[in-house]
Amino acid sequence: ADADRGGRVPVPRVSACEVQVIILYALVDPRAPRRPRYIGITKDPEMRLRKHIANSGANASLNDWKAQLRAAGDQPMML
């Protein structure tokens, strides 16, 4: 942005409808909730947790951990 004659750079105005909230979250083992296994960001935490539980991605370590939880009758918990 170009500065005005006083050396100030104008700050763009943002309306409330343009603001997006991004949530930082951790996936944890419910048996050891103080040890995050995965850190991520999302706009919709409920949907993202459902996707984590339902799908396997490219992260082999995370997939192995989720499979171990499923075998124990458990699932990741989001904080």
Side-chain angles (χ1 to χ4, degrees):
D2 295 321
D4 67 9
R5 290 185 183 175
R8 297 173 300 224
V9 176
V11 177
R13 301 280 179 187
V14 178
S15 70
C17 64
E18 295 173 343
V19 175
Q20 293 184 2
V21 175
I22 304 294
I23 309 283
L24 177 68
Y25 68 91
L27 287 184
V28 299
D29 185 325
R31 301 166 294 187
R34 293 182 179 257
R35 296 184 57 214
R37 298 296 301 249
Y38 179 84
I39 304 293
I41 60 173
T42 186
K43 295 177 187 174
D44 185 344
E46 292 176 10
M47 186 251 339
R48 188 66 188 114
L49 180 58
R50 284 194 305 270
K51 284 186 172 185
H52 272 299
I53 291 168
N55 298 325
S56 294
N59 185 328
S61 175
L62 183 63
N63 293 337
D64 290 345
W65 171 65
K66 290 191 295 185
Q68 291 171 8
L69 284 177
R70 278 191 298 276
D74 231 327
Q75 63 186 26
M77 187 169 74
M78 183 181 277
L79 300 179

Coordinates of all heavy atoms in Angstrom, one line a residue:
A1 N 0.8 -1.2 0.0 CA 0.0 0.0 0.0 C 0.9 1.2 0.0 O 2.0 1.2 0.6 CB -0.9 0.0 1.2
D2 N 0.4 2.3 -0.6 CA 1.1 3.5 -0.7 C 0.9 4.4 0.6 O -0.3 4.5 1.0 CB 0.7 4.3 -1.9 CG 1.1 3.6 -3.2 OD1 2.2 3.0 -3.2 OD2 0.3 3.6 -4.2
A3 N 1.9 5.0 1.1 CA 1.8 5.8 2.2 C 1.2 7.2 1.8 O 1.4 7.7 0.7 CB 3.1 6.0 2.9
D4 N 0.5 7.9 2.7 CA 0.0 9.2 2.4 C 1.1 10.2 2.7 O 2.2 9.8 3.1 CB -1.3 9.5 3.2 CG -1.1 9.6 4.7 OD1 0.1 9.6 5.2 OD2 -2.1 9.7 5.4
R5 N 0.9 11.5 2.6 CA 1.9 12.5 2.8 C 2.5 12.5 4.2 O 3.6 12.9 4.4 CB 1.4 13.9 2.4 CG 1.2 14.0 0.9 CD 0.8 15.3 0.6 NE 0.5 15.4 -0.9 CZ 0.0 16.4 -1.5 NH1 -0.2 17.5 -0.8 NH2 -0.2 16.4 -2.8
G6 N 1.7 12.0 5.2 CA 2.2 12.0 6.5 C 3.0 10.7 6.8 O 3.4 10.5 8.0
G7 N 3.2 9.8 5.8 CA 3.9 8.6 6.0 C 3.1 7.4 6.5 O 3.6 6.4 6.8
R8 N 1.8 7.7 6.6 CA 0.9 6.6 7.1 C 0.4 5.7 6.0 O 0.1 6.2 4.9 CB -0.3 7.2 7.8 CG 0.1 8.1 9.1 CD -1.2 8.8 9.6 NE -1.7 9.7 8.5 CZ -2.1 10.9 8.7 NH1 -2.0 11.4 9.9 NH2 -2.5 11.6 7.7
V9 N 0.3 4.4 6.3 CA -0.2 3.5 5.3 C -1.7 3.2 5.6 O -2.0 2.9 6.8 CB 0.6 2.2 5.3 CG1 0.0 1.1 4.4 CG2 2.1 2.4 5.0
P10 N -2.6 3.4 4.7 CA -4.0 3.2 5.0 C -4.3 1.7 5.3 O -3.7 0.8 4.7 CB -4.7 3.6 3.7 CG -3.6 3.6 2.6 CD -2.3 3.8 3.3
V11 N -5.1 1.5 6.3 CA -5.5 0.2 6.7 C -6.8 -0.2 6.0 O -7.8 0.6 6.1 CB -5.7 0.1 8.2 CG1 -6.2 -1.3 8.7 CG2 -4.4 0.5 8.9
P12 N -6.9 -1.3 5.3 CA -8.1 -1.6 4.6 C -9.3 -1.9 5.6 O -9.0 -2.4 6.7 CB -7.8 -2.9 3.8 CG -6.5 -3.4 4.3 CD -5.9 -2.3 5.1
R13 N -10.5 -1.5 5.3 CA -11.6 -1.7 6.1 C -12.1 -3.1 5.8 O -12.2 -3.6 4.7 CB -12.7 -0.7 5.8 CG -12.3 0.7 6.0 CD -12.4 1.1 7.4 NE -11.9 2.5 7.6 CZ -11.8 3.0 8.7 NH1 -12.0 2.3 9.8 NH2 -11.4 4.3 8.8
V14 N -12.5 -3.8 6.9 CA -13.1 -5.2 6.8 C -14.4 -5.2 7.4 O -14.5 -4.8 8.6 CB -12.1 -6.2 7.4 CG1 -12.7 -7.6 7.4 CG2 -10.8 -6.2 6.8
S15 N -15.4 -5.6 6.7 CA -16.8 -5.6 7.3 C -16.9 -7.0 8.0 O -16.2 -7.9 7.8 CB -17.8 -5.5 6.2 OG -17.8 -6.7 5.4
A16 N -17.9 -7.0 8.9 CA -18.1 -8.2 9.7 C -18.4 -9.5 8.8 O -18.0 -10.6 9.2 CB -19.3 -8.0 10.7
C17 N -19.0 -9.3 7.7 CA -19.3 -10.4 6.8 C -18.0 -11.0 6.2 O -18.0 -12.1 5.6 CB -20.3 -10.1 5.8 SG -19.8 -8.8 4.6
E18 N -16.9 -10.3 6.2 CA -15.7 -10.7 5.5 C -14.7 -11.4 6.5 O -13.8 -12.0 6.1 CB -14.9 -9.6 4.9 CG -15.7 -8.9 3.7 CD -15.0 -7.7 3.2 OE1 -14.2 -7.1 3.9 OE2 -15.4 -7.3 2.1
V19 N -15.0 -11.4 7.8 CA -14.2 -12.0 8.8 C -14.4 -13.5 8.9 O -15.6 -13.9 9.0 CB -14.4 -11.3 10.2 CG1 -13.6 -12.0 11.3 CG2 -14.1 -9.8 10.2
Q20 N -13.4 -14.2 8.9 CA -13.5 -15.7 9.0 C -12.7 -16.1 10.2 O -11.6 -15.7 10.4 CB -12.9 -16.4 7.8 CG -13.7 -16.1 6.5 CD -13.1 -16.9 5.3 OE1 -12.2 -17.7 5.5 NE2 -13.7 -16.7 4.2
V21 N -13.4 -17.0 11.0 CA -12.7 -17.5 12.2 C -12.1 -18.8 11.8 O -12.7 -19.7 11.3 CB -13.8 -17.7 13.3 CG1 -13.1 -18.4 14.5 CG2 -14.4 -16.4 13.7
I22 N -10.8 -18.9 12.1 CA -10.0 -20.2 11.9 C -9.7 -20.7 13.3 O -9.2 -20.0 14.2 CB -8.7 -19.9 11.2 CG1 -9.0 -19.2 9.8 CG2 -7.9 -21.2 11.0 CD1 -9.8 -20.0 8.8
I23 N -10.0 -22.0 13.5 CA -9.8 -22.7 14.8 C -8.6 -23.5 14.7 O -8.4 -24.3 13.8 CB -11.0 -23.6 15.1 CG1 -12.4 -22.9 15.0 CG2 -10.9 -24.3 16.5 CD1 -12.7 -21.9 16.1
L24 N -7.7 -23.4 15.7 CA -6.6 -24.3 15.9 C -7.0 -25.4 16.8 O -7.6 -25.1 17.9 CB -5.4 -23.5 16.5 CG -4.1 -24.3 16.9 CD1 -3.5 -24.7 15.6 CD2 -3.2 -23.4 17.7
Y25 N -6.8 -26.6 16.4 CA -7.2 -27.8 17.2 C -6.1 -28.8 17.4 O -5.2 -28.8 16.6 CB -8.5 -28.4 16.6 CG -8.2 -29.1 15.3 CD1 -7.9 -30.5 15.3 CD2 -8.3 -28.4 14.1 CE1 -7.7 -31.1 14.1 CE2 -8.1 -29.1 12.9 CZ -7.8 -30.4 12.9 OH -7.6 -31.0 11.7
A26 N -6.3 -29.7 18.3 CA -5.4 -30.8 18.5 C -6.3 -32.1 18.5 O -7.4 -32.1 19.1 CB -4.7 -30.7 19.8
L27 N -5.8 -33.2 17.9 CA -6.4 -34.5 18.1 C -5.6 -35.2 19.1 O -4.4 -35.2 19.1 CB -6.3 -35.3 16.8 CG -7.3 -34.9 15.6 CD1 -7.1 -35.9 14.5 CD2 -8.7 -34.8 16.0
V28 N -6.4 -35.8 20.1 CA -5.7 -36.5 21.2 C -6.3 -37.8 21.4 O -7.5 -38.1 21.0 CB -5.8 -35.6 22.5 CG1 -5.1 -34.3 22.4 CG2 -7.2 -35.5 22.9
D29 N -5.6 -38.7 22.0 CA -6.1 -40.0 22.5 C -6.9 -39.7 23.7 O -6.4 -39.1 24.7 CB -4.9 -40.9 22.8 CG -5.3 -42.3 23.1 OD1 -6.3 -42.5 23.7 OD2 -4.5 -43.2 22.7
P30 N -8.2 -40.2 23.8 CA -9.0 -39.9 25.0 C -8.4 -40.5 26.2 O -8.7 -40.1 27.3 CB -10.3 -40.5 24.6 CG -10.1 -41.3 23.4 CD -8.9 -40.9 22.8
R31 N -7.5 -41.5 26.1 CA -6.9 -42.2 27.2 C -5.7 -41.4 27.7 O -5.2 -41.6 28.8 CB -6.4 -43.6 26.9 CG -7.6 -44.5 26.4 CD -7.2 -45.7 25.7 NE -6.5 -45.4 24.5 CZ -6.1 -46.2 23.6 NH1 -6.3 -47.5 23.8 NH2 -5.5 -45.8 22.5
A32 N -5.1 -40.5 26.9 CA -4.0 -39.6 27.2 C -4.2 -38.2 26.6 O -3.4 -37.8 25.7 CB -2.7 -40.3 26.7
P33 N -5.2 -37.5 27.1 CA -5.6 -36.2 26.4 C -4.6 -35.1 26.5 O -4.7 -34.1 25.8 CB -6.9 -35.9 27.1 CG -6.9 -36.5 28.4 CD -6.1 -37.8 28.2
R34 N -3.5 -35.3 27.3 CA -2.5 -34.2 27.4 C -1.4 -34.3 26.4 O -0.5 -33.5 26.3 CB -1.9 -34.2 28.8 CG -2.9 -33.7 29.9 CD -2.3 -33.7 31.2 NE -3.2 -33.3 32.2 CZ -3.2 -32.1 32.7 NH1 -2.4 -31.2 32.3 NH2 -4.1 -31.7 33.6
R35 N -1.5 -35.4 25.5 CA -0.5 -35.6 24.5 C -1.1 -35.5 23.1 O -1.6 -36.4 22.6 CB 0.2 -37.0 24.7 CG 0.9 -37.1 26.0 CD 1.6 -38.4 26.1 NE 2.5 -38.6 25.0 CZ 2.8 -39.8 24.5 NH1 2.2 -40.9 24.9 NH2 3.6 -39.9 23.5
P36 N -1.0 -34.3 22.5 CA -1.6 -34.1 21.2 C -0.9 -35.1 20.2 O 0.3 -35.2 20.2 CB -1.3 -32.7 20.8 CG -1.0 -32.0 22.1 CD -0.5 -33.0 23.0
R37 N -1.7 -35.7 19.3 CA -1.1 -36.5 18.3 C -1.1 -35.8 16.9 O -0.4 -36.2 16.0 CB -2.0 -37.8 18.1 CG -2.0 -38.7 19.4 CD -0.6 -39.2 19.7 NE -0.1 -40.0 18.6 CZ 0.1 -41.3 18.7 NH1 -0.2 -42.0 19.8 NH2 0.6 -42.0 17.7
Y38 N -1.9 -34.8 16.8 CA -2.0 -34.1 15.5 C -2.6 -32.6 15.8 O -3.5 -32.5 16.6 CB -3.0 -34.8 14.6 CG -3.2 -34.1 13.2 CD1 -2.4 -34.3 12.2 CD2 -4.3 -33.2 13.0 CE1 -2.5 -33.7 11.0 CE2 -4.5 -32.6 11.8 CZ -3.6 -32.9 10.8 OH -3.8 -32.3 9.6
I39 N -2.0 -31.6 15.2 CA -2.4 -30.3 15.3 C -2.9 -29.8 13.9 O -2.2 -30.0 12.9 CB -1.3 -29.3 15.8 CG1 -0.7 -29.8 17.1 CG2 -1.7 -27.9 15.9 CD1 -1.6 -29.8 18.3
G40 N -4.0 -29.1 13.9 CA -4.5 -28.7 12.6 C -5.3 -27.4 12.8 O -5.5 -26.9 13.9
I41 N -5.8 -26.9 11.6 CA -6.7 -25.7 11.6 C -7.9 -26.0 10.8 O -7.9 -26.8 9.9 CB -6.0 -24.4 11.1 CG1 -5.5 -24.7 9.6 CG2 -4.9 -24.0 12.0 CD1 -5.0 -23.4 9.0
T42 N -9.0 -25.4 11.2 CA -10.3 -25.6 10.5 C -11.2 -24.4 10.7 O -11.1 -23.7 11.6 CB -11.0 -26.9 10.9 OG1 -12.1 -27.2 10.1 CG2 -11.4 -26.9 12.4
K43 N -12.2 -24.3 9.8 CA -13.3 -23.3 10.0 C -14.5 -24.0 10.6 O -15.3 -23.3 11.1 CB -13.7 -22.7 8.6 CG -12.6 -21.9 8.0 CD -13.1 -21.4 6.6 CE -11.9 -20.8 5.9 NZ -12.3 -20.4 4.5
D44 N -14.6 -25.3 10.5 CA -15.7 -26.1 11.1 C -15.2 -27.3 11.9 O -15.0 -28.3 11.3 CB -16.6 -26.5 9.9 CG -17.9 -27.2 10.3 OD1 -18.0 -27.6 11.5 OD2 -18.8 -27.3 9.4
P45 N -15.0 -27.1 13.2 CA -14.4 -28.2 14.0 C -15.3 -29.5 14.0 O -14.7 -30.6 13.9 CB -14.4 -27.6 15.4 CG -14.5 -26.2 15.2 CD -15.2 -25.9 13.9
E46 N -16.6 -29.4 14.0 CA -17.4 -30.6 14.0 C -17.3 -31.4 12.8 O -17.1 -32.6 12.8 CB -18.9 -30.3 14.3 CG -19.1 -29.7 15.7 CD -20.6 -29.3 15.9 OE1 -21.4 -29.6 15.0 OE2 -20.8 -28.7 16.9
M47 N -17.3 -30.7 11.6 CA -17.2 -31.4 10.3 C -15.8 -32.0 10.2 O -15.6 -33.1 9.7 CB -17.4 -30.4 9.2 CG -17.4 -31.1 7.8 SD -16.0 -30.7 6.7 CE -15.3 -29.2 7.2
R48 N -14.8 -31.2 10.7 CA -13.4 -31.7 10.5 C -13.2 -33.0 11.4 O -12.5 -33.9 10.9 CB -12.4 -30.6 10.9 CG -11.0 -31.0 10.7 CD -10.7 -31.1 9.2 NE -9.4 -31.6 8.9 CZ -9.2 -32.8 8.3 NH1 -10.2 -33.6 7.9 NH2 -8.0 -33.2 8.1
L49 N -13.7 -33.0 12.6 CA -13.6 -34.2 13.4 C -14.2 -35.4 12.8 O -13.7 -36.5 12.7 CB -14.1 -34.0 14.8 CG -14.0 -35.2 15.8 CD1 -12.6 -35.6 16.0 CD2 -14.7 -34.8 17.1
R50 N -15.4 -35.2 12.2 CA -16.1 -36.3 11.5 C -15.3 -36.8 10.4 O -15.2 -38.0 10.1 CB -17.5 -35.8 11.0 CG -18.5 -35.7 12.0 CD -20.0 -35.6 11.5 NE -20.1 -34.5 10.5 CZ -20.5 -33.2 10.9 NH1 -20.7 -33.0 12.1 NH2 -20.6 -32.3 10.0
K51 N -14.6 -35.9 9.6 CA -13.8 -36.3 8.5 C -12.5 -37.1 9.0 O -12.1 -38.1 8.4 CB -13.3 -35.1 7.7 CG -14.4 -34.6 6.8 CD -13.9 -33.5 5.8 CE -14.9 -33.2 4.8 NZ -14.3 -32.2 3.8
H52 N -11.9 -36.6 10.1 CA -10.8 -37.3 10.7 C -11.2 -38.7 11.1 O -10.4 -39.7 10.9 CB -10.3 -36.6 11.9 CG -9.2 -35.6 11.6 ND1 -8.0 -35.8 11.0 CD2 -9.2 -34.2 11.9 CE1 -7.3 -34.7 10.9 NE2 -8.0 -33.7 11.4
I53 N -12.4 -38.9 11.7 CA -12.8 -40.2 12.1 C -13.2 -41.1 11.0 O -12.8 -42.3 11.0 CB -14.0 -40.0 13.1 CG1 -13.5 -39.4 14.4 CG2 -14.7 -41.4 13.4 CD1 -14.6 -38.9 15.3
A54 N -13.8 -40.6 9.9 CA -14.3 -41.4 8.8 C -13.2 -41.7 7.8 O -13.3 -42.7 7.1 CB -15.4 -40.6 8.1
N55 N -12.2 -40.8 7.6 CA -11.3 -41.0 6.5 C -9.8 -41.2 6.9 O -9.4 -40.8 8.0 CB -11.3 -39.7 5.6 CG -12.6 -39.4 5.0 OD1 -13.3 -40.4 4.7 ND2 -13.0 -38.2 4.9
S56 N -9.1 -41.8 6.0 CA -7.7 -42.0 6.2 C -7.0 -41.0 5.2 O -7.4 -41.1 4.0 CB -7.2 -43.4 6.0 OG -7.7 -44.2 7.0
G57 N -6.1 -40.3 5.6 CA -5.4 -39.4 4.7 C -4.0 -39.9 4.3 O -3.7 -41.1 4.5
A58 N -3.1 -39.0 4.0 CA -1.8 -39.4 3.5 C -0.8 -39.6 4.7 O 0.3 -40.1 4.5 CB -1.2 -38.4 2.6
N59 N -1.2 -39.2 5.9 CA -0.3 -39.3 7.1 C -0.4 -40.7 7.7 O -1.3 -41.0 8.4 CB -0.8 -38.2 8.1 CG 0.1 -38.1 9.3 OD1 0.7 -39.1 9.7 ND2 0.2 -36.9 9.9
A60 N 0.6 -41.5 7.3 CA 0.6 -42.9 7.7 C 0.6 -43.1 9.3 O -0.1 -43.9 9.8 CB 1.8 -43.6 7.1
S61 N 1.4 -42.2 9.9 CA 1.5 -42.3 11.4 C 0.1 -42.0 12.0 O -0.3 -42.7 13.0 CB 2.5 -41.3 11.9 OG 2.6 -41.3 13.3
L62 N -0.6 -41.0 11.5 CA -1.9 -40.6 12.0 C -2.9 -41.7 11.7 O -3.7 -42.1 12.6 CB -2.3 -39.3 11.4 CG -3.7 -38.8 11.9 CD1 -3.6 -38.4 13.4 CD2 -4.0 -37.5 11.1
N63 N -2.8 -42.3 10.5 CA -3.7 -43.4 10.2 C -3.5 -44.6 11.1 O -4.5 -45.2 11.5 CB -3.5 -43.8 8.7 CG -3.9 -42.7 7.7 OD1 -4.7 -41.8 8.1 ND2 -3.4 -42.7 6.6
D64 N -2.3 -45.0 11.4 CA -2.0 -46.1 12.3 C -2.6 -45.8 13.6 O -3.2 -46.7 14.2 CB -0.5 -46.3 12.4 CG 0.1 -46.9 11.1 OD1 -0.6 -47.3 10.2 OD2 1.4 -46.8 11.0
W65 N -2.4 -44.6 14.1 CA -2.9 -44.3 15.5 C -4.4 -44.4 15.5 O -5.0 -45.0 16.4 CB -2.4 -42.9 15.9 CG -3.0 -42.3 17.1 CD1 -2.9 -42.8 18.4 CD2 -3.9 -41.2 17.2 NE1 -3.6 -42.1 19.2 CE2 -4.3 -41.1 18.5 CE3 -4.4 -40.3 16.3 CZ2 -5.1 -40.1 19.0 CZ3 -5.3 -39.3 16.7 CH2 -5.6 -39.2 18.1
K66 N -5.1 -43.9 14.5 CA -6.5 -43.9 14.4 C -7.0 -45.4 14.3 O -8.0 -45.8 14.9 CB -7.1 -43.1 13.3 CG -6.9 -41.6 13.5 CD -7.7 -40.7 12.5 CE -7.2 -40.8 11.1 NZ -7.9 -39.9 10.2
A67 N -6.3 -46.2 13.6 CA -6.6 -47.6 13.5 C -6.5 -48.3 14.8 O -7.3 -49.2 15.2 CB -5.8 -48.3 12.4
Q68 N -5.5 -48.0 15.6 CA -5.3 -48.5 16.9 C -6.4 -48.1 17.9 O -6.9 -48.9 18.6 CB -4.0 -48.1 17.5 CG -2.7 -48.7 16.9 CD -1.4 -48.1 17.3 OE1 -1.4 -47.3 18.3 NE2 -0.4 -48.4 16.7
L69 N -6.8 -46.9 17.7 CA -8.0 -46.4 18.6 C -9.2 -47.2 18.2 O -10.0 -47.6 19.1 CB -8.2 -44.9 18.4 CG -7.3 -43.9 19.0 CD1 -7.6 -42.5 18.7 CD2 -7.3 -44.1 20.6
R70 N -9.5 -47.3 16.9 CA -10.7 -48.1 16.4 C -10.7 -49.5 17.0 O -11.7 -50.0 17.4 CB -10.8 -48.1 14.9 CG -11.4 -46.8 14.4 CD -11.8 -46.9 12.9 NE -10.6 -47.2 12.0 CZ -9.8 -46.3 11.6 NH1 -10.0 -45.0 11.8 NH2 -8.8 -46.6 10.8
A71 N -9.5 -50.1 16.9 CA -9.4 -51.5 17.4 C -9.7 -51.6 18.9 O -10.2 -52.6 19.4 CB -8.0 -52.1 17.1
A72 N -9.4 -50.5 19.6 CA -9.7 -50.5 21.0 C -11.1 -50.0 21.3 O -11.5 -49.8 22.5 CB -8.7 -49.6 21.7
G73 N -11.9 -49.8 20.3 CA -13.3 -49.3 20.4 C -13.4 -47.8 20.8 O -14.3 -47.4 21.4
D74 N -12.3 -47.0 20.4 CA -12.3 -45.6 20.7 C -12.1 -44.8 19.4 O -12.0 -45.3 18.4 CB -11.1 -45.4 21.7 CG -11.5 -44.6 22.9 OD1 -12.4 -43.7 22.8 OD2 -11.0 -44.8 23.9
Q75 N -12.0 -43.5 19.6 CA -11.8 -42.6 18.5 C -11.1 -41.3 19.0 O -11.1 -41.1 20.2 CB -13.1 -42.2 17.8 CG -14.1 -41.5 18.6 CD -15.4 -41.2 17.9 OE1 -15.8 -42.0 17.1 NE2 -16.1 -40.2 18.3
P76 N -10.5 -40.6 18.0 CA -9.8 -39.4 18.5 C -10.7 -38.4 19.1 O -11.9 -38.3 18.8 CB -9.2 -38.8 17.2 CG -9.3 -39.9 16.2 CD -10.4 -40.8 16.6
M77 N -10.2 -37.6 20.0 CA -10.9 -36.5 20.6 C -10.3 -35.2 20.2 O -9.1 -35.1 20.0 CB -10.8 -36.7 22.1 CG -11.7 -35.7 22.9 SD -11.7 -36.2 24.7 CE -10.1 -35.7 25.2
M78 N -11.1 -34.2 19.9 CA -10.6 -32.9 19.5 C -10.6 -31.9 20.6 O -11.6 -31.8 21.3 CB -11.4 -32.4 18.3 CG -10.9 -31.1 17.7 SD -12.0 -30.5 16.4 CE -11.4 -31.4 15.0
L79 N -9.5 -31.2 20.8 CA -9.5 -30.1 21.8 C -9.3 -28.8 21.1 O -8.6 -28.8 20.1 CB -8.3 -30.4 22.8 CG -8.3 -31.6 23.6 CD1 -7.1 -31.7 24.5 CD2 -9.6 -31.7 24.4

